[in-house]
Amino acid sequence: MSQTEARKTLKDAPVMWRRINSIGIILDCNSTYAANLRYAKSEILGRSIFEHITKESWEAMNESLKIWFETGKVTDRKITFKRQDESTFPGLLQATSIYDENNNLLGSNTVIFDLTQMSNEKIKEYKEFFREAENRLNEIKEKEYDQLDENSKSEYNGLKKMFDMLLQVNLSELK
């Protein structure tokens, strides 16, 4: 899957990011997601989102999927994630939908905050990253958007919606 300029903003982002399809299969993730779960990216792609959470969180994840299908987004959903070594961490999931040009659901962009890492320094890093990403997406909108193909426009629109949502999250409350 080729990366658009919009998606490149997430490559080495400080937040864990993944893209799933409409049935919960991971299509892409960034290096932060892979490193936090202690997998190689190649071991993550094509896997179900349920492989990275504890069995106790399956019900909460199913509820998240239901909310996502009904509303197009999920906010502030607490899920316990499971690393490859079986250690766990509490995460907070935020997701927005991605649609094609005909408004058919393609999947979601999901950001996960590791709640054990929510220090003042980390919050500052996240806020700065969100602002920089928003600026980069605005730049793309002004200079390149009209030349993008439909898939790239769908990706851009999905990421824009995700960052708009993330900028609304009160990160200080997550500490």
Side-chain angles (χ1 to χ4, degrees):
M1 186 180 296
S2 67
Q3 287 202 358
T4 62
E5 287 303 310
R7 193 177 334 161
K8 287 179 185 176
T9 61
L10 291 161
K11 184 177 184 292
D12 295 315
V15 294
M16 289 183 280
W17 167 83
R18 71 178 181 212
R19 168 170 292 155
I20 65 170
N21 66 14
S22 60
I23 60 169
I25 302 300
I26 301 170
L27 302 175
D28 199 5
C29 68
N30 66 1
S31 59
T32 308
Y33 183 87
N36 249 22
L37 293 175
R38 300 183 183 145
Y39 284 95
K41 186 173 173 177
S42 62
E43 296 173 302
I44 292 172
L45 303 184
R47 302 287 185 171
S48 166
I49 57 175
F50 288 91
E51 290 186 33
H52 301 136
I53 63 172
T54 63
K55 288 216 184 319
E56 296 76 26
S57 287
W58 282 15
E59 189 175 325
M61 185 61 84
N62 274 322
E63 184 64 22
S64 291
L65 289 170
K66 183 177 177 230
I67 291 167
W68 172 49
F69 285 131
E70 291 171 0
T71 68
K73 67 180 183 178
V74 176
T75 56
D76 302 328
R77 176 61 65 164
K78 287 188 178 169
I79 303 283
T80 302
F81 287 83
K82 180 178 65 175
R83 296 180 182 101
Q84 186 175 32
D85 64 6
E86 300 295 321
S87 65
T88 62
F89 64 93
L92 193 72
L93 188 138
Q94 311 278 347
T96 56
S97 292
I98 308 161
Y99 300 97
D100 68 14
E101 66 274 11
N102 298 316
N103 215 30
N104 296 311
L105 179 67
L106 296 173
S108 85
N109 283 308
T110 305
V111 168
I112 298 148
F113 296 102
D114 180 340
L115 295 176
T116 65
Q117 298 178 359
M118 296 307 291
S119 64
N120 288 334
E121 296 80 30
K122 198 66 157 169
I123 289 170
K124 183 179 177 192
E125 181 183 10
Y126 289 153
K127 286 180 179 179
E128 188 175 310
F129 168 69
F130 296 157
R131 280 192 300 274
E132 287 172 5
E134 182 182 45
N135 291 340
R136 178 64 185 122
L137 289 174
N138 289 338
E139 220 176 85
I140 290 168
K141 181 75 170 182
E142 287 176 25
K143 296 178 181 174
E144 304 167 32
Y145 188 82
D146 292 335
Q147 287 81 42
L148 297 177
D149 63 29
E150 292 305 322
N151 288 337
S152 297
K153 284 180 180 177
S154 292
E155 179 163 279
Y156 171 90
N157 294 335
L159 290 171
K160 178 74 171 117
K161 193 172 9 169
M162 181 188 78
F163 281 110
D164 288 346
M165 179 181 69
L166 291 171
L167 284 162
Q168 302 303 312
V169 174
N170 184 345
L171 296 172
S172 299
E173 288 181 359
L174 303 182
K175 288 198 314 181

